[in-house]
Amino acid sequence: MDFKLSKTHLLQQELFRRFAAAEIAPLAEEMDETEVYNLDLLKKLHKYGMMGIPYSKEYGGAGADYLTYVLCMEELSAADASTGITISVHTSLACSCIDGFGTPAQKEKWLRPLVSGLKTGCFGLTEPNAGSDAAGQQTKALLDGDAYVINGAKIFTTNAGFADTFVMFAMTDKSLGTKGISAFVIDRNTPGLTVGKNIHRMGIRAASNCEVAYDNVRVPVENRLGKEGEGFKIAMKALDAGRIGIAGQAVGIAQGALNEAIKYIKERKQFNKRISSFQNTQFRVADMQTLIDAARLLAYRAAVTKDNGENYGPQAAMAKLYASRIANDVTRDAVQLMGGYGYSREYPVERMMRDAKITEIYEGTSEVMKMVISGSMKIS
Ligand code: CAA
């Protein structure tokens, strides 16, 4: 058992940290205020290989392991959680469905431009009436000759505002339940596919998160990923992997907030002493760092388990459950340590506290994480 990152991982971590400081942090406040993701930054994420980290070089990816991807999520989210979710949905949800279930021809056509070009992906699973109950899909895909005709609506589709490639799920046979869901990959410009309004949110306000309507969208059979009826499994597998990235994102948000609070308490004086010299403050900081480190270890364990080709679903769920919980605790404490300034928009910790909340909700709520973990324990 070795708890140290390798030299390569440390080098990558440093590169991600520098990129975040130079390119992301200066934009984070403005993107949050305007609720618009900076598309020049998106281009840079593509250009510097951050949109294809765990994918094979054969298709233009970086060929790195999943732990490297988690390090990226952590470092970039410490500067801006909206960047974290933009990368997560593209990489671990959209690309992973194509990588895991696409044919070589589908990978060539769809994966290559996502991991080595400038194309961005999104993932349409959630519907107005199918959130945690992902099997309750209403969107239908009915076979008509050599194409499926898709009708329905998705909601909260992250990246939809600017995505080029839509991985989405629809019922091909409602009578079969979870075995009647299929996965499709669709070009944004397909007639009948309409991206609706960006949904205003409490946090990760710079991310794009939209309704998507499918109105008689004709999709060739060759755009189906995997076999007919395999869609639920494809979505679940993508989400298992995605949840490790969200754990990394939550760790990053928490560490980012603690770093900001530490900078502040070293400067701020009250009662003629720096706040950092009060033992009450020191103990609070010690608790915060301990929570972060525990969550980080869970996230790294899940990533390494995945890299080793072992069953990682329950570990991913534990990492997300715990990291998202402590991200909320730590960001709230960071605001408290900084008092009125922490609550003000002059400092980034109030944004980080707002951003942390969603990590307990998306890519599976904390309650769903507990279903996955307890399910794996076979106690009932
Ligand atoms: N991997 C592979 N197969 C899986 C699986 C997994 N992780 N989980 C379940 N399955 C299979 C089961 O083995 C089962 O197959 P069999 O019938 O052959 O045994 C089948 O799928 C059905 O499984 P369940 O009976 O457990 O399914 P369920 O309907 O009870 O749902 C659930 C289980 C865990 C609650 C699941 O619905 C779930 O994860 N819900 C949350 C959905 C979610 O995370 N949504 C997030 C939306 S995307 C998002 O947030 C992205 C964004 O834009 C930010």
Side-chain angles (χ1 to χ4, degrees):
M1 206 170 199
D2 185 356
F3 290 100
K4 286 200 286 277
L5 290 173
S6 69
K7 277 192 183 147
T8 312
H9 287 124
L10 285 170
L11 199 65
Q12 293 290 350
Q13 185 185 48
E14 184 58 27
L15 288 173
F16 297 139
R17 195 168 288 168
R18 284 196 198 163
F19 179 85
E23 306 286 351
I24 304 176
L27 302 175
E29 185 186 343
E30 189 193 329
M31 293 199 299
D32 177 61
E33 289 285 342
T34 57
E35 299 185 50
V36 177
Y37 199 77
N38 185 311
L39 295 184
D40 288 333
L41 175 57
L42 183 66
K43 274 192 201 140
K44 284 184 189 160
L45 295 173
H46 278 287
K47 189 174 152 199
Y48 293 111
M50 288 176 210
M51 300 297 263
I53 291 172
Y55 297 107
S56 152
K57 288 187 175 166
E58 191 190 343
Y59 290 103
D65 56 15
Y66 216 72
L67 181 56
T68 305
Y69 165 69
V70 171
L71 294 173
C72 175
M73 283 293 289
E74 191 183 332
E75 293 305 326
L76 273 49
S77 301
D80 173 43
S82 294
T83 296
I85 192 59
T86 304
I87 295 178
S88 164
V89 168
H90 166 92
T91 309
S92 59
L93 298 186
C95 292
S96 80
C97 292
I98 306 169
D99 185 58
F101 293 86
T103 61
Q106 285 175 324
K107 290 188 199 180
E108 194 58 46
K109 178 171 178 186
W110 300 100
L111 185 64
R112 185 180 292 286
L114 287 169
V115 301
S116 65
L118 285 179
K119 292 209 168 173
T120 304
C122 66
F123 178 87
L125 177 70
T126 303
E127 298 184 1
N129 294 315
S132 288
D133 180 14
Q137 303 277 303
Q138 300 292 322
T139 298
K140 289 192 186 71
L142 299 180
L143 198 55
D144 176 29
D146 59 356
Y148 288 91
V149 179
I150 302 183
N151 277 291
K154 299 287 173 181
I155 198 161
F156 302 129
T157 304
T158 303
N159 291 351
F162 45 73
D164 308 277
T165 304
F166 288 56
V167 171
M168 60 84 67
F169 301 84
M171 276 283 180
T172 37
D173 187 344
K174 185 122 185 109
S175 68
L176 295 177
T178 53
K179 299 214 165 29
I181 298 172
S182 301
F184 300 92
V185 56
I186 308 178
D187 186 276
R188 179 190 192 91
N189 297 318
T190 309
L193 189 163
T194 314
V195 177
K197 65 175 172 24
N198 191 26
I199 298 156
H200 297 295
R201 278 156 282 120
M202 167 184 171
I204 54 153
R205 284 157 45 109
S208 161
N209 195 272
C210 305
E211 300 170 350
V212 182
Y214 294 84
D215 186 11
N216 285 320
V217 178
R218 239 186 124 74
V219 176
V221 171
E222 71 214 34
N223 287 29
R224 193 187 66 226
L225 292 171
K227 299 191 190 96
E228 195 173 274
E230 224 179 359
F232 192 75
K233 191 171 96 183
I234 296 175
M236 290 300 115
K237 281 194 164 296
L239 284 163
D240 278 342
R243 289 164 186 163
I244 311 176
I246 300 303
Q249 180 193 35
V251 170
I253 297 170
Q255 189 69 64
L258 178 55
N259 293 349
E260 289 295 330
I262 289 173
K263 263 194 271 171
Y264 179 87
I265 60 173
K266 283 164 108 173
E267 297 288 325
R268 171 85 167 162
K269 282 188 177 164
Q270 290 289 280
F271 308 103
N272 298 320
K273 286 165 80 176
R274 288 187 204 291
I275 304 181
S276 57
S277 68
F278 292 104
Q279 195 176 51
N280 180 47
T281 307
Q282 293 166 358
F283 280 11
R284 192 187 280 249
V285 165
D287 278 338
M288 291 158 83
Q289 191 60 65
T290 304
L291 293 176
I292 296 170
D293 272 24
R296 180 175 283 130
L297 287 173
L298 281 175
Y300 290 3
R301 181 185 71 159
V304 171
T305 305
K306 175 169 165 34
D307 283 329
N308 289 341
E310 293 159 25
N311 175 31
Y312 63 89
Q315 294 191 1
M318 280 185 212
K320 181 181 181 296
L321 174 68
Y322 187 72
S324 61
R325 184 187 293 160
I326 69 97
N328 280 273
D329 293 343
V330 169
T331 53
R332 199 172 49 245
D333 276 5
V335 169
Q336 190 67 23
L337 273 175
M338 294 173 65
Y341 289 102
Y343 192 70
S344 81
R345 290 203 171 184
E346 304 287 303
Y347 289 88
V349 289
E350 64 83 28
R351 167 170 54 82
M352 294 166 170
M353 182 176 154
R354 286 186 284 108
D355 288 346
K357 182 61 206 166
I358 191 63
T359 62
E360 291 185 308
I361 298 172
Y362 59 25
E363 301 204 21
T365 60
S366 294
E367 291 73 17
V368 166
M369 295 309 101
K370 290 179 194 178
M371 287 168 74
V372 172
I373 298 161
S374 60
S376 75
M377 294 166 71
K378 308 209 184 315
I379 48 173
S380 64

